[in-house]
Amino acid sequence: MKPVLKIARTELRSLFYSPIAWFLMIVFMVQCGLAYIYQLDSNARTQELNGIGLQYMTDLTQRIFLSREGVFSNVMQKLYLYIPLLTMGLISREINGGTIKLLYSSPIKVQQIVFGKYLAMMVYSLVLIAIVGIFMIAGMFNIKSADGGMLLSGTLGFYLLLCTYSAIGLFMSCLTTYQVVAAVSTFVMIGILSYIGQLWQGIDFVRDLTYFLSLSGRTEHMLSGLITTKDVIYFLLIIYIFLGLTISKLKAGRESKSFLVKAGRYVVIVVSALAIGYISSRPALTGYWDVTANKSRTLTPNAQRIIKELGDEPLEWTIYNNLLGSHNYYGLPEARNMDLARWEPYTRFKNSINFHYVNYYDSAEESKWMYKQYPGKTIKEIADMNAKNFNLKLSMFKSPGEMHKIVDLRPEGNRYVMQLKYKDRATFLRIFDDNMVFPSETEVSAAFKRLLAAKLPKVAFLSGDLERNINKIGERDYKILTNMPSFRRSLVNQGFDVDTLSLETGDIPADISTLVIADPKTALSAAGLVKIQQYIDKGGNLLIAGEPGKQALLNPLLEKIGVQLLDGVLVQPSKELAPDLVQAELTSAVAGFYKGLAKNYEDGMKVTMPGATGLSYTPNSGYTVTPLLLTNGEQSWIKKGKLVVDSADIIYMPANGDEKKSVPTALSLTRQINGREQRIIVTSDADFISNGELKRYNVQNANFYFSTALFSWLSYGEFPIDTSRPDARDNRVKVTSERVDMLRILLIWVFPGLLLIFGTVLLIRRKRK
C-alpha cells in the first residue's frame, strides 16, 4: 500500500505543479457558478413577480442542480473535455521520458504503478467535488428546505463518472507515447461508450450487451435521487475493465508471452465484468435506495400495496405493437431496453413480471391517412414499405389474420396497447394522446387492481329515452369521460367498467355499482320509473343530471328523494362568455371527495355549466343532503321564462319572477340502507361532463377533477387509485434578485480569482525553487 500512496503523492505533486490542473479547476468553478447563478436568479425573479409562475416553483433542488440546465447536468455535459487533458500524460509521459523503465526496475509491481496513478486522479476528482460542494452549501442556504439527500446522490453519480473517465484516460495513456494522441483517444472512447447503446439494438443478445456497456444515461437515477446497486456496480465494473486492461497492457510490454496468453487476459477481464454486470442487473438482485425527501423516486404506498397483493404469481405483460399505428416505434426491438427501463419502478417491487412483445400490422383508426399516401396499395404492401423504413423485414410482423387468432384489438382501434394477464384474469393498459403518452402510476395501479378485484365498479348509462350517448364524440355526448381509449382520464382507463342500459329490455342488473340518468329527452315510461325506484329502494347508487326546460321529465323521479329542478334557467352575464354559462363554486364538502379536486378548490377554480338551473331539496326526506356546487348570488340569478342569448343584454328583472340568490347546482344525498351507505348525486346540468365542456379551452375549469371526484365518491373511493404525493417543500428561494447579484460577483469572480492567485503563487514559487 505504501508504494501506491507514494506514487499517488508524486503524481499529485506533478499534477498541481502544472498550470493545466489549476486552469481546469478555475474553468470548472466558473462553469458551475454560471449554471447555479442562472437558475437561482431565474427563480428569484419569478418569486418576486408573485404571479402564476409561483405554482410552477417546486422541486427547486432538482431544478437548480439536477435538471437538464442545472449545475450537475451542465458540467457533466462538458466533463469529457476536462479529464482527457489530465490523464493524457499519466503513463505516456513516463514512456516518452524513459522513466517507465526506472519504475519497472524498482521493486514495485505494475499494478501498484497503475493504482497509484489512478489514486491521484481520484483525489483530483475529489477536489472537483469540493468545488461543487461550495455551490451545494450555497444551495442549502439559498433554497427553502433544500433536498440534501438528492444533492448527495447527485454528487455520488458525478464522482463515479469522474472516476470512470479517469480509468478510461489512464488506459488510453498507456497505449501511446504521444500525450495529444492519448487525449484524443480518450475523447473517442468516451464517445464510443456513450453511443454504443444505440448500436445493433435489433439483435436480442447484442442489444443487451451494448446497452450494458453504454455510458449514456447511467447517472440519471442518481441525479434524480435514486441510488441503485446496478448503476454503482456498472461504474465499478467499467473502472475495473480499464484498469485491468491497463495493467495487462503494461505487463505485456515487459513479458515474452504468446499472443493467445496476452489476448486471453483481455478477454477474461471483459467477460468477467460482463458476467458480473448481467447478474447484478437482474431485477431480483438489484437494490434501490431512494434518498429524496418525500420518496418521489419510489411508487406511492397505495401502488406498493396493490403490487404486494399480487404476490409471487407471475404477471404476463404483453405489448401489442401495430406497425401501421402512430406509436409503432415504442414496440420495435431497438426501443426494447428503453421500454423495459420505463417499467422498472414496478419490476422493482415485483420481479416476476414477464414482458412479451408482439409486432403486427393492421389498419388503424389513427393512421387512415396512409391509404391516401399510398393509393392503390394493399395493407400488406403498405406494411412492407413501413418495415423497410425501419430496416426490418415484414416477416417479423404478424398479419391481420394471425393477430385475430391471438386477440382482437379492433375495439382498441388497433393501437399500441398492453395486455396484462394474472392467473385467469386480463385487462388492457393503454397509451394516450397527450404529452406524457405512457400510463402514469395511477393508470398502471388501476390495471393491477382490476386483476385483483373480486367485483369491479360498473357504471351503467341509461339509454332508450334519448339520453346523452357515451359512444359518440359530439359536443353534448359523453365519450371522452367514459370510454375513449386514447384519453387518460376516461373512466375505462381509471379502472371502471362502463356500459349502457335500456330499461325496455330488462331490469337493472345487480352488478351495477352506479346508474347514470343523463338528460332524457322523452318522459321515462311508467315501467322504467318503477325499475329505477326499485333500484333506489334497494340502496343503489345513482347520478341524475337534468337540464333547464326538461324539469317535467325528471322532477317526478326526483320528488321521491326530496329534490326538484327549479323552474327557469341560470344566467351569469359576462363580457367574454355566453350569459347562460354558469361558473359554479366548489364547496368544501366536494373537495373532500378526491385529492385532485382539493387543489382546484384551494385555487378557487370553478365548474362550468352551460345551460343550468337551480336545485331545491327537502331536509327531512330521509337523506342527508349536501350542496356540492353553489352559484354566486351576486353575479348570477334564475331567469324565468325563455332565455334568448343572442339578442339584447340579459337584465335582471324581478318583476318577471327573476330570483337573485345563491342556489346549488349539484347535491349529494346519502342514507344508510341494507347495511351500507347509499350515495346519490343530482345535478341541474348535464353538459358539465360532456365532450364539449371537457375540451373547453377559453375558461380554466375544474370539470375534469369534479367529474372524477363524483365517480370516485360513488364507487367508495375504489377508483381512481390515489397516487398523489406530498407537495415538495423546496418550493421557494430565500434570496432576492439583488442578493443574487452579490452572489454572482462572489461565486463567478471572487472565488475563481482567489483560486487563480493561489495557483499562480504556487507555480511561481515552484519555478523559483
Side-chain angles (χ1 to χ4, degrees), residues 80-96:
Y80 69 93
L81 298 173
Y82 292 86
I83 302 302
L85 297 177
L86 297 168
T87 61
M88 63 184 183
L90 287 177
I91 295 179
S92 62
R93 182 178 63 247
E94 308 283 359
I95 298 174
N96 191 43

Side-chain angles (χ1 to χ4, degrees), residues 198 242 317 468 626:
Q198 302 177 33
F242 284 97
W317 188 309
R468 302 298 175 95
T626 305

Side-chain angles (χ1 to χ4, degrees), residues 31-32 34-40 60-78 223:
Q31 186 182 351
C32 290
L34 290 173
Y36 177 74
I37 291 299
Y38 172 79
Q39 290 291 333
L40 187 66
L60 294 185
T61 306
Q62 181 181 21
R63 180 182 299 182
I64 293 175
F65 283 94
L66 307 168
S67 66
R68 288 186 178 274
E69 296 181 354
V71 175
F72 280 105
S73 298
N74 193 285
V75 297
M76 281 183 178
Q77 290 171 7
K78 303 175 181 63
L223 289 180

Side-chain angles (χ1 to χ4, degrees), residues 26-45:
I26 294 169
V27 172
F28 182 78
M29 179 178 284
V30 171
Q31 186 182 351
C32 290
L34 290 173
Y36 177 74
I37 291 299
Y38 172 79
Q39 290 291 333
L40 187 66
D41 185 56
S42 174
N43 285 281
R45 293 183 185 279

